[in-house]
Each structure stands twice: as C-alpha cells, then as structure tokens.
Amino acid sequence: MTELLIFSVLFGAFALLNVIRLIKGPHAADRIIAADNSDLLIACAMILFSLYSGRGIYLDISIICALLGIINTMLVGRYLDRGRWKYESDSEDNN
C-alpha cells in the first residue's frame, strides 16, 4: 500500500510539471510533447492500478489510451510540420 502512495505522489508531481509545460510552453511542439507525456502518465497510472486491484480490464484500457495518445501526437505533429494534412507528393499526383 505504501508503494502505491509513493507512486501516486510521483505521478501527481509529474502531472503538475506537465500542466506547467502545457500552459507555459513557448512553442506548439512543447505543448504537444507535454500532452503526449500526460497520456503516457495516465496509461502508466492505469497499469499500476490494474496491478493493485488485480483486474485485467484496466490493462486493455491503458493500452488503448496510450495508442490513441501516440496517434494524436503523430497527427498533430504532421499537421504542424506541413501546415496542412496532405503531403507535397499527394498534391503533385493530382495535377
């Protein structure tokens, strides 16, 4: 039980640092990294809760949460990199 309390305090501190970076981040990329890090912290917290409670459903939910967070980061990063959703080669094929 004490291990769960220690991990909860650490996850709370990491989440607070992520919120600070999310608000204060000078660039959009810093904010995206903070949001992705928050998604992974939530997934890790769900895994620890699954181990503590002995229920496997939380493992499945944490995997889905982590995958959606990674997909979200890739899509927003691609949008910020190109400024639009299509790549240059996609528009050249249509012309």
Side-chain angles (χ1 to χ4, degrees), residues 46-80:
M46 291 169 73
I47 289 171
L48 287 175
F49 184 73
S50 172
L51 292 173
Y52 174 72
S53 66
R55 299 187 66 191
I57 188 70
Y58 296 114
L59 289 175
D60 298 334
I61 295 171
S62 68
I63 291 171
I64 291 170
C65 181
L67 287 175
L68 288 175
I70 290 170
I71 290 171
N72 183 31
T73 303
M74 289 189 320
L75 286 175
V76 174
R78 181 178 176 186
Y79 177 74
L80 288 177

Side-chain angles (χ1 to χ4, degrees), residues 1 6 8 16-17 19 23 26 31-32 34 43 47-48 57 60 67 70-71 73-74 77 80 87 89-91:
M1 185 68 179
I6 292 170
S8 298
L16 181 64
L17 290 173
V19 168
I23 293 170
R31 292 184 175 107
I32 292 171
I47 289 171
L48 287 175
I57 188 70
D60 298 334
L67 287 175
I70 290 170
I71 290 171
T73 303
M74 289 189 320
L80 288 177
Y87 279 123
S89 64
D90 292 340
S91 63

